[in-house]
Amino acid sequence: MAHPPFEIIGADRPGRWLITCDHATNTVPDWVGGGSLGITPEDMARHIAYDVGAAGLARRLAARLEAPAILSNFSRLVIDPNRGEDDPTLVMKLYDGTIIPANRHVGPAEVEQRLARLYRPYHAAYADLAGRRPDRVICAVHSFTPCLRGRCPRPWAVGVLYSHRDERLALPLVAALKADGLCVGENEPYAGHLDGDAIDRHALAPGRPNVLIEVRNDLIAQEDGQIAWADRIAPILGGVLAASGL
């Protein structure tokens, strides 16, 4: 059986939200390096290979919001679905101090195969789910590591990332999360927008309201943390959307 490039949960759920998880797994298809990128299991378990805890949080948020969800089923190191096809970081050769042997000499033909078999089917399914109702709202779920190698610790519990092109939900969400007592990074620990990324493609270009949430991965690495954070975030998301009038 061919490797499925994505998983869809609750496609027919009635909610407006679409929950997405671009970096849900550290899976490597067997047709890429025989199922290995040539790095250690310890590195494959790190944030460089996927967003630790994000899939579990996305599943639980989707359930609480009665929303469909789409999750990738390939490591971001195979090919990153949250980058444009022409982005130089689409296939990473070095990430947070780790060289990726299977990507070191990757050529255009191999990149095209990964695009055709993984990246493009994921985005086609994403676009289909997003387009099933005209008032769709997108919430992208990610996680971030508490500290990159050689860098200062990151103090935020959660980051809200957004583009200046659409702040309608993000700014009220930042305020609501802070009001709930959280240390919030506004466009931290990363900038909120890259041309061609998933939110740019599926939310900004078609004009859909959107938010991108990054939770620090030590807080959601285990199931109890995922449950607690979904319980905390879901009503805040619902309240911000209701108050927005969008």
Side-chain angles (χ1 to χ4, degrees):
M1 180 178 176
H3 179 87
F6 56 85
E7 178 185 2
I8 291 174
I9 301 163
D12 297 323
R13 286 175 178 164
R16 285 184 64 188
W17 292 96
L18 170 60
I19 307 299
T20 71
C21 192
D22 299 323
H23 302 142
T25 77
N26 58 0
T27 304
V28 180
D30 59 9
W31 49 268
V32 176
S36 171
L37 296 171
I39 64 177
T40 66
E42 290 76 17
D43 271 332
M44 285 302 296
R46 293 204 301 133
H47 67 97
I48 64 171
Y50 73 123
D51 280 359
V52 176
L57 178 59
R59 293 173 192 277
R60 290 168 174 84
L61 272 179
R64 284 155 180 74
L65 294 167
E66 297 186 279
I70 183 168
L71 292 76
S72 69
N73 189 32
F74 51 94
S75 172
R76 67 194 299 168
L77 293 179
V78 175
I79 193 163
D80 193 334
N82 197 34
R83 297 292 185 271
E85 291 197 17
D86 60 350
D87 192 300
T89 64
L90 180 68
V91 178
M92 293 288 282
K93 300 182 179 183
L94 173 69
Y95 195 172
D96 195 22
T98 296
I99 293 171
I100 318 303
N103 295 344
R104 191 168 184 172
H105 302 295
V106 68
E110 173 68 16
V111 172
E112 176 60 31
Q113 183 182 40
R114 298 183 194 185
L115 285 166
R117 297 181 68 171
L118 300 170
Y119 178 105
R120 291 178 186 140
Y122 171 75
H123 281 289
Y126 189 147
D128 176 68
L129 282 172
R132 289 190 183 185
R133 53 184 297 166
D135 60 348
R136 182 68 81 199
V137 183
I138 293 176
C139 175
V141 177
H142 292 256
S143 72
F144 63 93
T145 184
C147 187
L148 290 171
R149 288 178 172 173
R151 305 286 183 88
C152 295
R154 293 162 161 176
W156 313 283
V158 59
V160 178
L161 280 55
Y162 59 90
S163 166
H164 67 279
R165 289 161 52 192
D166 188 357
E167 303 172 345
R168 293 174 293 173
L169 287 180
L171 294 183
L173 179 61
V174 169
L177 291 169
K178 287 181 176 179
D180 198 51
L182 290 167
C183 180
V184 181
E186 187 172 343
N187 276 334
E188 297 282 2
Y190 304 106
H193 173 248
L194 290 171
D195 289 341
D197 69 14
I199 287 291
D200 185 50
R201 182 171 180 166
H202 299 287
L204 297 177
R208 296 185 179 106
N210 64 89
V211 293
L212 189 157
I213 296 174
E214 291 236 10
V215 179
R216 206 175 67 223
N217 66 24
D218 60 317
L219 301 174
I220 56 170
Q222 305 301 323
E223 184 178 18
D224 58 348
Q226 296 160 15
I227 292 169
W229 275 87
D231 288 343
R232 190 170 191 177
I233 292 174
I236 295 175
L237 284 171
V240 166
L241 179 58
S244 74
L246 293 167

